[in-house]
Amino acid sequence: MALVLQSNGIYATAVSRPGPTASRSPCMDSVSLIHISRAAGSLRSTPARLWISSSKARLTGIVMTTALPVDVEEKVEHTSLYVPRESHTQVTHSMPPEKIELFKSLEDWAEENIVPYLKTVEKSWQPQDFLPEPSSEGFLDEVKELRQRAAELPDDYLVCLVGDMITEEALPTYQTMLNTLDGVRDETGASLTSWARWTRAWTAEENRHGDLLNKYLYLTGRVDMRIIEKTIQYLIGSGMDPQTENSPYLGFIYTSFQERATFISHGNTARQAKEFGDNKLAQICGTIAADERRHENAYTKIVEKLFELDPDDTIFALEDMMRKKISMPAHLMYDGNDRNIFDKFSQVAQRTGVYTAKDYADILEYLIKRWNVEKLSGLSSRGQKAQDYVCGLPNRFRKLEERASRVKKGPKTGSFSWIFNREVALS
Ligand SMILES: [Fe+2]
Ligand SMILES: [Fe+2]
């Protein structure tokens, strides 16, 4: 089996050759379509195990199907904006099957220790608690006041808030991600296991975050809602690629990290909203941040338990996730026009202090302390090496970041479709 792709004059060949991860990825057998960045060319293949050999072409995604599409070229055109743009091989089901039993045996533990982190619907806040009441006589006046407050918000702040809102709005992807995890997934869609009920109720709590930010931003009149809605549709269509390989070890380390990252970024947008004089928005972002903190506490507790029961495999998982780097959930963001929109959004978040490279190092340092990683005992010699590697990372990240910030290149400003193509400083 071989196939040839033409991409803007660059030929890339994909040959049937077992890759280093192929033996760990039974699903790779069904790969049948490859898409190369800006490819307009043709491809022919039969479902087979693939390994990509191309140094020039940027592999933008692998679509897994069980059969070849009827009209491949049409399919490439149609899906070209939806395929993941990552350049690594997608590994699946890397956790040995016997470990699944470990998670099944933890169902009662999760019932007693994790499910209580959820709030009942009756005790939960709802977006409407923070928004003008549309059935009241004073609705229009309330909206007017909201818009007066929001008029003071600077463009770079709006970019961060929109980026955070779009990230929250891609929630279907995150529930999908949790349900990729072996041993804890919701097998039926209404499963009564504690893991499945946690995932659904967590999703239901998270659903209010995007709703609230979306409605608030709509009412401000400061942002281009249609292009934002397109960005959300593209993002959900693209999915995400956290490289968690169906493993709850990797998956819960990822979610621990991400819940803390969102706690930090929503906390920073809350603080900044207050500085800009919008106390209502500060309350909104602060309330969302508190949810993220509660979720972080639940996910870090799961990983704490894994360290207790299985320190070696858990430290390997932490090492693995850190070597791969924790990708942001919305890393495949696209607005239909700007392929760099996520990078630009990240730059603005870095410059304004909403979420920074220092935060990334701080989160890891926090998690190392939270899980007592430095003092883990009973590790194998390989486990001890992983422990040393992980414990040295926060300082390494900080040094690398310092160096990188001194030699920063690239445009100083950029325009964002979300705010009607107004320019904001990137660095
Ligand atoms: Fe959230
Ligand atoms: Fe969250």
Side-chain angles (χ1 to χ4, degrees), residues 202 206 259 262 292 295:
W202 170 86
E206 285 281 341
E259 293 289 7
T262 46
E292 309 292 13
H295 296 160

Side-chain angles (χ1 to χ4, degrees), residues 288-415:
I288 295 172
D291 271 6
E292 309 292 13
R293 185 73 211 266
R294 191 160 40 83
H295 296 160
E296 174 210 314
N297 287 338
Y299 286 120
T300 53
K301 196 166 183 122
I302 299 172
V303 177
E304 180 187 42
K305 186 72 179 167
L306 294 177
F307 268 118
E308 181 193 318
L309 297 174
D310 190 1
D312 252 359
D313 279 334
T314 313
I315 192 70
F316 296 152
L318 181 56
E319 179 195 19
D320 187 24
M321 283 315 296
M322 295 323 298
R323 282 194 192 278
K324 291 171 186 166
K325 299 219 172 72
I326 303 277
S327 59
M328 296 304 282
H331 62 140
L332 299 176
M333 200 180 264
Y334 179 59
D335 64 352
N337 184 46
D338 185 353
R339 291 233 164 247
N340 296 319
I341 197 157
F342 180 77
D343 291 341
K344 283 161 57 185
F345 156 54
S346 302
Q347 282 176 269
V348 178
Q350 166 82 30
R351 190 183 57 75
T352 57
V354 167
Y355 183 74
T356 67
K358 183 184 169 295
D359 290 323
Y360 187 92
D362 289 350
I363 292 170
L364 178 60
E365 191 168 72
Y366 170 87
L367 292 175
I368 287 169
K369 280 207 185 94
R370 169 72 183 82
W371 294 325
N372 217 5
V373 177
E374 281 178 355
K375 295 194 182 104
L376 285 176
S377 55
L379 293 174
S380 65
S381 64
R382 204 184 126 210
Q384 285 170 14
K385 274 189 195 140
Q387 180 186 32
D388 288 346
Y389 170 77
V390 167
C391 292
L393 271 186
N395 281 339
R396 231 175 98 192
F397 283 151
R398 287 189 189 109
K399 275 184 201 150
L400 283 172
E401 172 51 28
E402 248 176 57
R403 227 175 295 157
S405 63
R406 266 184 264 129
V407 287
K408 241 178 205 157
K409 285 185 189 144
K412 293 258 178 284
T413 62
S415 67

Side-chain angles (χ1 to χ4, degrees), residues 55-349:
S55 56
K56 286 182 185 164
R58 188 160 70 95
L59 178 68
T60 56
I62 298 173
V63 175
M64 301 209 182
T65 58
T66 48
L68 265 182
V70 178
D71 185 338
V72 172
E73 289 196 23
E74 193 185 307
K75 185 97 177 171
V76 168
E77 181 66 25
H78 182 67
T79 61
S80 62
L81 300 175
Y82 286 91
V83 291
R85 285 176 284 147
E86 295 302 279
S87 58
H88 54 78
T89 309
Q90 299 190 351
V91 179
T92 55
H93 301 285
S94 61
M95 184 175 74
E98 64 269 20
K99 294 280 180 188
I100 291 175
E101 293 313 309
L102 174 79
F103 289 92
K104 295 215 186 294
S105 74
L106 282 173
E107 266 171 27
D108 288 346
W109 176 85
E111 183 70 44
E112 281 164 31
N113 293 277
I114 301 304
V115 172
Y117 280 102
L118 296 163
K119 280 201 171 165
T120 65
V121 175
E122 296 309 321
K123 284 189 180 155
S124 293
W125 61 265
Q126 298 299 335
Q128 191 50 53
D129 301 338
F130 301 91
L131 295 164
E133 171 54 51
S135 64
S136 85
E137 268 188 25
F139 175 67
L140 292 178
D141 290 336
E142 281 182 64
V143 171
K144 209 171 161 188
E145 279 168 35
L146 183 153
R147 290 164 78 99
Q148 276 165 359
R149 286 193 306 268
E152 303 301 318
L153 300 171
D155 280 342
D156 51 9
Y157 177 85
L158 283 174
V159 164
C160 293
L161 198 64
V162 169
D164 283 356
M165 179 267 266
I166 291 168
T167 305
E168 293 285 352
E169 287 283 54
L171 182 61
T173 299
Y174 316 139
Q175 189 180 37
T176 299
M177 180 263 174
L178 284 169
N179 281 328
T180 65
L181 302 179
D182 293 335
V184 296
R185 76 168 56 86
D186 183 349
E187 298 280 358
T188 65
S191 162
L192 295 177
T193 67
S194 51
W195 295 118
R197 282 187 294 112
W198 161 268
T199 295
R200 289 196 302 273
W202 170 86
T203 306
E205 286 195 0
E206 285 281 341
N207 189 51
R208 300 166 306 152
H209 301 173
D211 271 5
L212 176 52
L213 291 173
N214 191 322
K215 284 175 182 159
Y216 180 87
L217 280 160
Y218 167 80
L219 288 173
T220 66
R222 299 278 317 274
V223 297
D224 186 335
M225 283 310 295
R226 193 171 192 284
I227 203 102
I228 288 169
E229 287 161 347
K230 274 177 68 180
T231 313
I232 295 167
Q233 188 177 355
Y234 273 119
L235 183 57
I236 296 173
S238 294
M240 72 188 283
D241 186 13
Q243 302 187 75
T244 45
E245 307 177 8
N246 310 98
S247 160
Y249 287 83
L250 300 173
F252 290 138
I253 287 167
Y254 182 86
T255 52
S256 295
F257 197 101
Q258 276 309 335
E259 293 289 7
R260 187 152 184 92
T262 46
F263 159 65
I264 289 169
S265 64
H266 290 308
N268 284 328
T269 53
R271 181 177 47 77
Q272 293 181 5
K274 207 169 177 189
E275 286 164 16
F276 300 130
D278 192 337
N279 287 340
K280 197 85 188 167
L281 179 58
Q283 196 192 1
I284 287 171
C285 296
T287 303
I288 295 172
D291 271 6
E292 309 292 13
R293 185 73 211 266
R294 191 160 40 83
H295 296 160
E296 174 210 314
N297 287 338
Y299 286 120
T300 53
K301 196 166 183 122
I302 299 172
V303 177
E304 180 187 42
K305 186 72 179 167
L306 294 177
F307 268 118
E308 181 193 318
L309 297 174
D310 190 1
D312 252 359
D313 279 334
T314 313
I315 192 70
F316 296 152
L318 181 56
E319 179 195 19
D320 187 24
M321 283 315 296
M322 295 323 298
R323 282 194 192 278
K324 291 171 186 166
K325 299 219 172 72
I326 303 277
S327 59
M328 296 304 282
H331 62 140
L332 299 176
M333 200 180 264
Y334 179 59
D335 64 352
N337 184 46
D338 185 353
R339 291 233 164 247
N340 296 319
I341 197 157
F342 180 77
D343 291 341
K344 283 161 57 185
F345 156 54
S346 302
Q347 282 176 269
V348 178

